[in-house]
Amino acid sequence: MPELERPQRRRRNLALALVVSAFVISFFQRFAPAGIAQDLASAFGTTASSLGVLAATYFYVYTVMQVPTGIFVDTFGPRRILLFGGIVGSAGSLLFGMASTLEMALVGRTLIGLGVSVTFISMLKFIAVWFDESRFASMVGLSMLVGNLGSVLAGFPLSWLAQAAGWRSVFIAVSGISLLLGIACWVLVRDHPHSPAGSVIRKPHFDRTVVFSGLLQVVRNHATWPAAWINFGVSGSFFTFGGLWATPFLIQAHGMSRDVAASHVSLYFAGFALGCVGIGAISDRLGQRKPVLIIGTHLYAVTWLVWLSGVALPLEASYALFALMGILTASFTLTWSCAKEVNPPLLSGMSTSVTNMGGFLAGAILQPLFGWVMDLHWAGGVSNSGARLYTAGDYHAGLLLLTMTASIGAIASWRIRETNCRNIWKPTVEAESLKQA
């Protein structure tokens, strides 16, 4: 990509800042149930499995929307899709904050998942179009670093705000922020470096034959699927634990206070944020993807054995382990580069969305499944508010489930095709006709 002129670089950077800000909201909404799990259990009188379903509703719709989002972003560009996401996510957050029943909360979480599900793929598409290919992993890592501010906010800061102002007020405020960001993206984001202000490079056109030919090309590419399985194993276990069960696990199984447990989760997310930019930069500097993925995913799987053992760690050690887990979790972020680099550049949205679907599918399955196996072992204890209380033994089966899931990601890393940080896709007759269309 030729070097952009200075005014165009400023507009590009401003647009990226807005897109990443929308991604911050997406991360916050994804992990918010962890910071207010106790509040949700008390407000709606849920069991562990019901709480898991409430949190996982986000992941259900997010999973379903990954491939359609890739198609829509490749077809219409990120600008329109981000406006849609801001409006729908805003409505969902407002409904969730005002929900008086579990059913209303479920609808709110569904709309939140639908709204924010478009943000990440839109961000990847924007970076793929506006930045040089050699900087893709580094720019994604940097964007993930900033975006993870949302997950950090979903830990201790959300827990503190929920106690100070009420969790409902927080989500109503986030509703307004989401709407404003969606409008700002519509006004300032451009789909292509050559799009003049207020216009697009071409009129969007959904050609069903071309779109589904492209999707089939990505799905039929065997090199795409190891990246999806790594996402399933590594990010799936991360979403399940960090997105809901880590805080109650530390409180009920290890006797920590709510603030200390939430601080662990915030440190987990902070480690993930730092790992995203660090691992992406290391991979780009080495000019390799596969060795970094193999080492990162295997070490991540090993860390789960510590929690599975049931050993009581000193506070400093548990903080350090949570930070290490976050850093190692970030190894899965290289899979977006791996998928993009073995598929046609024109289909970067579809290839990354298919890969991304693995992690969200795992989160959708594992969050309620974790709660279900806990309910199977529940001894009958309840809190003063009527919410169920669980012991360390109740959590063991769930931790075993996540350990096995993380191991799937480690095994899949051996099947990744090394790209040496460049696109290695070779055009075919079918692909050339797709490009011309």
Side-chain angles (χ1 to χ4, degrees):
M1 176 182 294
E3 185 67 22
L4 300 175
E5 296 179 0
R6 182 173 298 178
Q8 200 171 25
R9 287 203 303 271
R10 286 200 295 265
R11 290 194 295 270
R12 177 197 66 184
N13 294 339
L14 175 60
L16 179 62
L18 288 172
V19 176
V20 172
S21 296
F23 189 46
V24 170
I25 298 297
S26 173
F27 253 97
F28 174 84
Q29 296 282 23
R30 184 178 306 167
F31 295 109
I36 57 171
Q38 306 298 101
D39 299 306
L40 295 176
S42 298
F44 302 115
T46 63
T47 63
S49 54
S50 296
L51 184 60
V53 170
L54 176 60
T57 301
Y58 171 106
F59 290 95
Y60 297 146
V61 67
Y62 207 113
T63 302
V64 171
M65 283 298 296
Q66 286 307 284
V67 171
T69 298
I71 293 172
F72 293 146
V73 168
D74 282 342
T75 305
F76 299 106
R79 178 173 173 248
R80 290 170 172 79
I81 306 304
L82 287 167
L83 174 63
F84 165 83
I87 294 172
V88 176
S90 173
S93 189
L94 180 63
L95 181 59
F96 184 70
M98 299 176 66
S100 58
T101 64
L102 179 61
E103 290 73 21
M104 285 181 63
L106 285 168
V107 174
R109 283 291 291 175
T110 300
L111 288 175
I112 289 172
L114 178 60
V116 303
S117 65
V118 303
T119 307
F120 178 68
I121 300 300
S122 296
M123 184 182 76
L124 291 186
K125 183 68 176 183
F126 183 88
I127 293 173
V129 169
W130 279 86
F131 290 88
D132 188 82
E133 181 181 23
S134 64
R135 299 178 60 195
F136 182 82
S138 298
M139 289 307 302
V140 170
L142 182 60
S143 299
M144 291 286 291
L145 173 65
V146 179
N148 266 277
L149 175 62
S151 57
V152 175
L153 292 174
F156 175 77
L158 174 59
S159 179
W160 179 82
L161 276 174
Q163 295 175 76
W167 66 271
R168 297 180 183 276
S169 299
V170 174
F171 282 90
I172 291 172
V174 171
S175 171
I177 296 172
S178 298
L179 182 59
L180 290 174
L181 280 173
I183 294 172
C185 286
W186 168 257
V187 173
L188 296 171
V189 171
R190 296 289 169 264
D191 296 328
H192 193 277
H194 302 298
S195 298
S199 66
V200 293
I201 192 169
R202 61 177 174 84
K203 184 179 179 180
H205 174 62
F206 184 88
D207 187 322
R208 182 170 55 189
T209 301
V210 172
V211 165
F212 287 105
S213 295
L215 179 59
L216 281 174
Q217 187 172 352
V218 172
V219 172
R220 289 173 176 171
N221 185 351
H222 295 299
T224 302
W225 290 104
W229 279 109
I230 293 172
N231 263 265
F232 183 95
V234 179
S235 65
S237 55
F238 169 56
F239 292 158
T240 302
F241 193 57
L244 180 61
W245 295 114
T247 300
F249 165 69
L250 294 174
I251 293 173
Q252 297 176 348
H254 288 270
M256 296 182 186
S257 69
R258 174 171 172 166
D259 287 347
V260 171
S263 297
H264 276 74
V265 176
S266 287
L267 189 60
Y268 191 6
F269 296 146
F272 177 64
L274 293 173
C276 285
V277 66
I279 287 176
I282 290 172
S283 176
D284 285 347
R285 179 66 63 87
L286 293 175
Q288 291 183 302
R289 307 291 190 208
K290 189 171 182 176
V292 181
L293 269 169
I294 289 175
I295 294 171
T297 56
H298 281 67
L299 290 176
Y300 173 73
V302 169
T303 60
W304 281 100
L305 298 177
V306 179
W307 297 119
L308 191 62
S309 71
V311 63
L313 296 176
L315 192 60
E316 295 80 3
S318 64
Y319 273 127
L321 183 57
F322 262 71
L324 178 62
M325 288 178 70
I327 292 170
L328 295 174
T329 298
S331 58
F332 84 83
T333 61
L334 290 179
T335 60
W336 303 316
S337 299
C338 293
K340 183 181 76 72
E341 290 163 357
V342 296
N343 283 288
L346 183 67
L347 304 178
S348 61
M350 294 185 202
S351 59
T352 52
S353 65
V354 168
T355 301
N356 209 34
M357 188 171 63
F360 289 97
L361 176 62
I365 295 171
L366 293 174
Q367 280 194 341
L369 188 58
F370 193 111
W372 179 74
V373 297
M374 285 174 57
D375 283 334
L376 286 179
H377 295 84
W378 179 54
V382 295
S383 66
N384 294 333
S385 63
R388 292 188 177 188
L389 294 176
Y390 298 90
T391 65
D394 299 333
Y395 281 93
H396 186 268
L399 293 173
L400 177 60
L401 185 67
L402 297 188
T403 303
M404 294 170 62
T405 304
S407 299
I408 291 174
I411 294 170
S413 68
W414 290 94
R415 302 294 298 175
I416 283 288
R417 181 176 297 175
E418 181 59 69
T419 64
N420 298 118
C421 302
R422 56 186 175 82
N423 193 286
I424 61 173
W425 169 78
K426 300 297 183 184
T428 62
V429 173
E430 178 185 2
E432 283 298 314
S433 63
L434 174 67
K435 184 177 179 180
Q436 292 171 7

